[in-house]
Amino acid sequence: MMLKINNLKKIYPNGHQALDNINIEVQKGEFLVIIGLSGSGKSTLLKCINKLHPITKGQVVFNGQEISSLKGEEMRNAQSKMGMIFQHFNLIDRKSALTNVLTGALHKTSIIKSVFELFSAEQKEKAFEMLDIVGLKEKAFERVDNLSGGQKQRVAIARALMQSPSLLLADEPVASLDPATSHSVMDYLKKVNEELGVTIICNLHFLSLVREYAGRVIALKDGQLIFEGKPEQIDEDWFRKIYGEKAKEVFIK
Amino acid sequence: MKENGKRLKHFLFDVLLWTYAVTSLYKIIYQNYILQVRYLEYHSQEFIFCLIAGAILSFLFSLIPQFSIFQGFSHKTNTPYLKRPYFILFLFILIITFINGIHFSQFSLREFFSESGMDGAKRIFWSLLHPNFDILGESLKAAVETVFMAFMATALAIPFSFILSFFAAKNLTRSSLFFKIIYTSARFVLNGTRSIEPLVWAIIFSVWVGIGPFAGMLALCLHSVASLSKLYSEQIENINEGPLDAIRSTGAHPVQVIWFGVVPQIILPFLSFTIYRWDINVRMATVIGLVGGGGIGTMLMQYQGTARWNEVGLLIIIIALIVWAMDTMSSKIREKIK
């Protein structure tokens, strides 16, 4: 078992209850997709898993270790084993693709060395390898603000892979990309999942992408888990339950 | 209850306005302009008398609807301002205020156009146009002193402001109570320091370390730290927090999160602010020289004190040139690094 979430509850400081009583188990090597409307708690769930947000109640057990109560160095240790990519890529615009990938190794680099960007030769070599995996080796010294959206997301994937993660969290990785680029980014995630054996938890909007890439799907609505199963099981009825009565499916090809 | 409180507030405000009107009418218009009293004296009994008069007046006016000034302004109707009854009262008070202004600033067209005064002005402008170049070397040395004084003040302010600005940025200090306290106290100290003019700091430091460039530099430096920290921290508050999340999610140490998530986003605006600050400091260094901060300002003060207007003319030309050069340079550089 890679990840086990027990009775997770998250209430924001403003009183908004984002998640309630969530129980999820994730096996090693899975490609789990989370669907749901905007505001249903998908992003919050991912950020609670890697402790970007503190959780209000419940447990997150990652690789057999209860991590929700960890603090300081122990927390950062756990975080370093989970990669994360974001809808808006969240790269450092003014730096090269290579430097951005190297930030994935910050946990293993001392503060002094990292301030002067003194990464070791092995780390640099590994960063090149990761860029190669996402097909961007020749862009290594390009500033990332000169790259296209799809390329930026691939750099972000390489940054996450630099952590040698056992789990990759993807928060709507294709929501700000065009359809063709979306497929390319999803294909890279699939490759990471199948070839490197990295477990993936991914938030998605489009059901067509879900059917193509997901091994298993869970659906959230108003902070509650309302569906869990195979992508094929999401029929018309379930679709309406998840997205509301008036929703219509949009296909992305 | 709330309605009553509001009415009381309006009434008190009107009392204040009427007291002001009565005091000005009595002291400035009656005693000063009509009786032409030479030395106006201000007694506290007079003020109490005016206060009572003001209270009575505002009470009388509040009996007539729509004649309370404060209530009138907070009341929302579609009637044009000029047609509202209380507006006449407001205009009346505005006119009184102008008369007060003329009295207190000793505004006088007679002085401005007087024969002897015009002669003096002509003499000064004439000698300003004929600067004395004999003191060129000495004044250039003072000018260099001023520029470097400003440079040192800016340079020394950078590390302090850089570090302080992170503690004075709201988005980086909301994680714990400890940081919130640091944030509040940092803001408090910075605002306090900034609200005291560098001129005043220069006076303090010239007593402390003696008259000269060092006192001026310390004054400028202190003020620069306060204003740069404010500008820097506002820049930090405006950053995109996405990269911070991303770096944090890799398990990086908080220092690394700031170094990779915040610093690359703020470094250019910081540079731009700093250059602009140096520009401001050069101008201020001149003014600070007037109170003993050294450099070309001190020299200017010495020559104008002895009415040597030809020398003053040369100094003014040099100051104008420096300010122009700094201004052009700093705006060019800031444009380049945008």
Side-chain angles (χ1 to χ4, degrees):
Chain A
M1 185 96 49
M2 163 119 293
L3 183 75
K4 194 169 184 326
I5 297 172
N6 296 328
N7 299 319
L8 176 67
K9 185 178 198 167
K10 169 71 186 173
I11 299 172
Y12 279 109
N14 63 11
H16 172 66
Q17 176 163 336
L19 293 171
D20 187 26
N21 198 25
I22 303 283
N23 290 288
I24 305 173
E25 289 184 7
V26 185
Q27 304 295 332
K28 192 170 179 344
E30 253 195 292
F31 197 123
L32 175 70
V33 169
I34 307 173
I35 57 173
L37 288 169
S38 302
S40 60
K42 306 192 295 288
S43 277
T44 309
L45 179 57
L46 290 193
K47 287 179 176 172
C48 283
I49 293 176
N50 75 349
K51 299 219 60 185
L52 281 182
H53 287 336
I55 69 175
T56 313
K57 225 175 108 183
Q59 285 183 313
V60 177
V61 182
F62 174 61
N63 280 338
Q65 187 191 17
E66 207 286 304
I67 62 167
S68 53
S69 56
L70 296 183
K71 280 201 164 67
E73 185 55 33
E74 283 182 316
M75 175 184 86
R76 296 196 284 276
N77 223 343
Q79 281 179 324
S80 77
K81 298 193 177 81
M82 298 184 236
M84 185 162 187
I85 61 175
F86 303 81
Q87 177 184 350
H88 298 294
F89 326 128
N90 293 356
L91 300 173
I92 309 164
D93 279 340
R94 297 187 171 280
K95 304 259 182 192
S96 68
L98 186 68
T99 310
N100 266 287
V101 175
L102 281 166
T103 57
L106 283 177
H107 181 69
K108 296 196 185 78
T109 315
S110 75
I111 293 174
I112 299 293
K113 276 188 179 169
S114 58
V115 162
F116 296 103
E117 294 187 19
L118 296 170
F119 295 99
S120 70
E122 298 94 78
Q123 283 175 330
K124 278 182 197 155
E125 206 173 302
K126 189 178 175 191
F128 273 114
E129 261 174 56
M130 296 306 133
L131 278 170
D132 201 22
I133 290 177
V134 295
L136 284 174
K137 202 174 183 182
E138 71 283 3
K139 300 274 185 194
F141 297 105
E142 192 96 25
R143 262 173 64 155
V144 291
D145 44 6
N146 294 330
L147 300 181
S148 71
Q151 290 171 329
K152 283 181 186 171
Q153 197 58 293
R154 280 147 66 193
V155 173
I157 294 176
R159 170 173 67 188
L161 290 180
M162 188 71 195
Q163 297 170 237
S164 315
S166 48
L167 175 66
L168 180 67
L169 308 168
D171 189 6
E172 298 189 15
V174 296
S176 41
L177 299 175
D178 61 63
T181 325
S182 296
H183 274 288
S184 138
V185 166
M186 289 306 296
D187 283 337
Y188 278 111
L189 285 180
K190 195 176 173 184
K191 182 178 161 189
V192 167
N193 178 241
E194 288 173 354
E195 290 175 20
L196 305 178
V198 177
T199 312
I200 292 182
I201 304 179
C202 177
N203 290 345
L204 280 180
H205 264 314
F206 289 106
L207 272 182
S208 49
L209 288 177
V210 176
R211 294 201 184 94
E212 196 175 338
Y213 294 97
R216 190 160 65 99
V217 181
I218 58 175
L220 294 181
K221 190 178 187 183
D222 300 327
Q224 304 211 325
L225 202 152
I226 57 164
F227 172 86
E228 185 165 6
K230 293 275 166 203
E232 307 85 70
Q233 289 173 280
I234 306 173
D235 52 17
E236 200 78 350
D237 281 349
W238 271 115
F239 181 79
R240 289 225 184 83
K241 267 182 204 155
I242 298 166
Y243 289 100
E245 285 303 323
K246 288 186 179 152
K248 239 191 178 145
E249 190 174 347
V250 179
F251 288 90
I252 165 172
K253 272 283 159 228
Chain B
M1 189 61 212
K2 206 183 160 196
E3 199 54 33
N4 277 341
K6 226 177 188 176
R7 210 173 286 167
L8 184 73
K9 204 172 81 185
H10 291 165
F11 180 72
L12 286 180
F13 188 82
D14 277 4
V15 170
L16 212 69
L17 273 184
W18 279 114
T19 309
Y20 168 69
V22 170
T23 319
S24 329
L25 275 177
Y26 174 64
K27 296 301 292 184
I28 311 298
I29 295 182
Y30 177 68
Q31 287 195 338
N32 180 52
Y33 286 108
I34 297 174
L35 294 184
Q36 305 241 325
V37 176
R38 192 172 277 257
Y39 298 107
L40 275 183
E41 284 172 19
Y42 296 90
H43 301 290
S44 49
Q45 304 99 288
E46 282 178 340
F47 178 72
I48 290 167
F49 165 73
C50 290
L51 190 67
I52 294 166
I56 294 169
L57 272 173
S58 47
F59 175 70
L60 289 177
F61 272 105
S62 71
L63 294 178
I64 319 170
Q66 293 236 348
F67 263 93
S68 161
I69 298 177
F70 195 67
Q71 197 180 358
F73 271 106
S74 51
H75 188 66
K76 287 188 174 52
T77 64
N78 282 329
T79 334
Y81 275 117
L82 285 173
K83 286 190 180 157
R84 301 186 201 174
Y86 63 84
F87 197 75
I88 297 157
L89 295 180
F90 175 73
L91 277 184
F92 167 67
I93 284 171
L94 201 65
I95 289 166
I96 288 179
T97 304
F98 260 99
I99 295 172
N100 283 349
I102 287 169
H103 167 70
F104 282 113
S105 65
Q106 304 187 354
F107 183 90
S108 158
L109 283 178
R110 205 185 320 139
E111 290 283 347
F112 194 78
F113 288 112
S114 75
E115 192 87 1
S116 63
M118 291 285 259
D119 273 351
K122 253 184 239 160
R123 203 167 55 238
I124 290 178
F125 279 119
W126 179 251
S127 32
L128 286 184
L129 289 176
H130 295 80
N132 179 2
F133 283 99
D134 290 348
I135 58 156
L136 185 65
E138 193 192 343
S139 42
L140 280 182
K141 187 212 149 225
V144 168
E145 213 172 87
T146 298
V147 172
F148 276 96
M149 192 169 111
F151 170 74
M152 276 310 280
T154 320
L156 284 181
I158 294 172
F160 291 106
S161 338
F162 185 80
I163 293 167
L164 268 172
S165 64
F166 289 94
F167 295 107
K170 212 173 207 157
N171 54 345
L172 299 185
T173 50
R174 61 179 167 222
S175 58
S176 69
L177 184 68
F178 173 69
F179 276 114
K180 274 179 196 158
I181 292 169
I182 287 191
Y183 164 82
T184 315
S185 38
R187 277 278 151 131
F188 182 76
V189 170
L190 290 177
N191 286 339
T193 316
R194 214 178 45 248
S195 54
I196 298 173
E197 281 292 305
L199 210 64
V200 180
W201 284 119
I203 292 171
I204 295 170
F205 280 118
S206 63
V207 175
W208 193 337
V209 300
I211 286 177
F214 185 48
M217 192 218 80
L218 286 175
L220 286 177
C221 186
L222 196 62
H223 201 256
S224 299
V225 169
S227 36
L228 277 181
S229 304
K230 174 124 193 325
L231 286 173
Y232 285 179
S233 59
E234 272 167 9
Q235 198 62 40
I236 294 176
E237 282 170 1
N238 285 332
I239 60 163
N240 171 12
E241 298 207 19
L244 261 98
D245 268 353
I247 305 290
R248 204 179 287 138
S249 76
T250 67
H253 189 271
V255 174
Q256 294 171 322
V257 173
I258 285 178
W259 190 257
F260 284 91
V262 183
V263 174
Q265 293 191 61
I266 53 173
I267 203 78
L268 285 188
F270 272 31
L271 207 61
S272 167
F273 285 141
T274 311
I275 291 170
Y276 185 48
R277 191 69 219 175
W278 184 20
D279 180 13
I280 294 174
N281 276 348
V282 170
R283 290 159 207 239
M284 272 192 183
T286 314
V287 180
I288 274 178
L290 297 176
V291 295
I296 201 161
T298 302
M299 211 171 155
L300 184 70
M301 183 194 62
Q302 285 160 357
Y303 282 114
Q304 77 85 23
T306 48
R308 292 169 66 182
W309 301 111
N310 301 81
E311 283 78 2
V312 170
L314 180 77
L315 291 175
I316 287 176
I317 291 172
I318 290 175
I319 290 169
L321 281 178
I322 293 171
V323 169
W324 171 79
M326 284 301 296
D327 189 63
T328 321
M329 194 183 78
S330 97
S331 67
K332 280 265 157 60
I333 295 177
R334 280 184 289 135
E335 216 165 89
K336 276 268 148 56
I337 61 174
K338 214 172 234 173

